[in-house]
Amino acid sequence: MSREAVADALAASEHAVALTGAGTSTASGVPDFRSDDGLWREFDQSDITIGRFERDPGGFWRDWTAIHADLFQDDPVEPNPAHDALADLERAGILNALITQNVDGLHEAAGSESIIRLHGTGATASCRNCGRTVETTAAVEGLDEAEFPPRCEDCDGVLKPDTVLFGEQMPLGAMREARRLAEETDVLLAVGSSLTVDPAASLPRMAGRGNATLVVVNLDDTPVDPLADYVLNEPVEEALPSIAAQAIDGE
Ligand SMILES: [Zn+2]
């Protein structure tokens, strides 16, 4: 059974790394932007590009907060058992690092610490003028939509979410670190990612310079499946806790 074999590989690994995508958070109720019933039916991707932000920061913030409503509710989304399992693996010293495409902050909430954020984070926003960083919830708190965009307390500069927007370059430091981790890893666990968009699509191909054990846990097929040692088409919130428990036991 694949779960046991994956747990054994993790328990025996020296530099295990996880790569996570939107599918990791769907069980928490965070919508998957790319699925058929995802948010792009309701919102236009071109509304939240860096170009739109620069042209119309107020309109951008109105759309952005609507799309990310789960970040701004009183009752925010919670980590699910897949996030918890990844945090447990790190705490047990099995998982060295986690590379994520997600901006929802749920890995942090679950207790993961060594996180490479390929797409930044929606949890904070930074001043375009002086660089001051604030919590996004605090930035928009008490603001009427008509008062958008939120501005810097220090210099009145416009705040931008620390999420990498469409059309914006990915953070070079995070990209470099992700590549280094992928090259050094001996077990790469790709979780809840369709592995179709770079760099997530290319990281598994460079895993261990071709010598790593490659594991894909995703409900749907991915283009990386033919290269993978194990493909688990199972809900991540069921597969991960069982794999983590066995790996931690078997270490
Ligand atoms: Zn400022």
Side-chain angles (χ1 to χ4, degrees):
M1 158 105 187
S2 298
R3 284 186 188 177
E4 278 97 59
V6 172
D8 288 347
L10 281 170
S13 70
E14 298 287 326
H15 298 282
V17 171
L19 168 65
T20 69
T24 312
S25 294
T26 41
S28 292
V30 179
D32 180 349
F33 285 77
R34 292 178 200 284
S35 68
D36 286 344
D37 55 356
L39 281 166
W40 300 130
R41 303 215 154 218
E42 207 178 326
F43 294 97
D44 189 342
Q45 212 161 303
S46 65
D47 287 342
I48 55 167
T49 63
I50 186 68
R52 167 84 188 290
F53 174 84
E54 279 161 358
R55 263 187 332 271
D56 174 21
F60 168 91
W61 270 95
R62 279 190 290 281
D63 287 338
W64 195 84
T65 49
I67 290 171
H68 294 77
D70 51 286
L71 291 175
F72 303 102
Q73 287 162 359
D74 293 334
D75 184 20
V77 291
E78 302 276 355
N80 67 57
H83 298 104
D84 293 336
L86 291 165
D88 289 344
L89 283 169
E90 183 183 346
R91 235 173 269 123
I94 294 175
L95 195 66
N96 281 48
L98 191 156
I99 303 165
T100 189
Q101 300 168 274
N102 299 341
V103 297
D104 52 38
L106 292 179
H107 287 304
E108 291 86 340
S112 288
E113 285 178 6
S114 180
I115 306 174
I116 313 302
R117 298 170 187 84
L118 292 175
H119 295 165
T121 173
T124 56
S126 296
C127 173
R128 295 279 270 179
N129 185 40
C130 75
R132 179 190 159 103
T133 298
V134 295
E135 302 249 331
T136 311
T137 42
V140 297
E141 196 171 31
L143 278 191
D144 195 83
E145 282 195 358
E147 297 169 283
F148 279 176
R151 288 180 176 273
C152 176
E153 271 180 28
D154 285 349
C155 76
D156 206 40
V158 171
L159 298 178
K160 183 195 149 295
D162 290 331
T163 305
V164 177
L165 303 180
F166 292 103
E168 197 174 22
Q169 209 182 32
M170 296 216 205
L172 286 178
M175 293 279 288
R176 210 175 294 127
E177 183 66 2
R179 267 193 222 109
R180 187 186 67 78
L181 286 166
E183 282 175 2
E184 286 181 2
T185 189
D186 53 357
V187 178
L188 183 75
L189 190 60
V191 180
S193 171
S194 59
L195 302 173
T196 49
V197 183
D198 264 327
S202 53
L203 290 171
R205 294 172 202 280
M206 52 179 87
R209 297 189 170 87
N211 292 316
T213 300
L214 185 54
V215 182
V216 176
V217 188
N218 196 52
L219 273 182
D220 301 316
D221 295 340
T222 82
V224 172
D225 292 358
L227 300 176
D229 297 278
Y230 303 99
V231 178
L232 285 72
N233 295 128
E234 301 171 38
V236 297
E237 68 278 15
E238 289 169 20
L240 265 286
S242 135
I243 290 168
Q246 289 177 57
I248 293 166
D249 263 0
E251 218 204 359

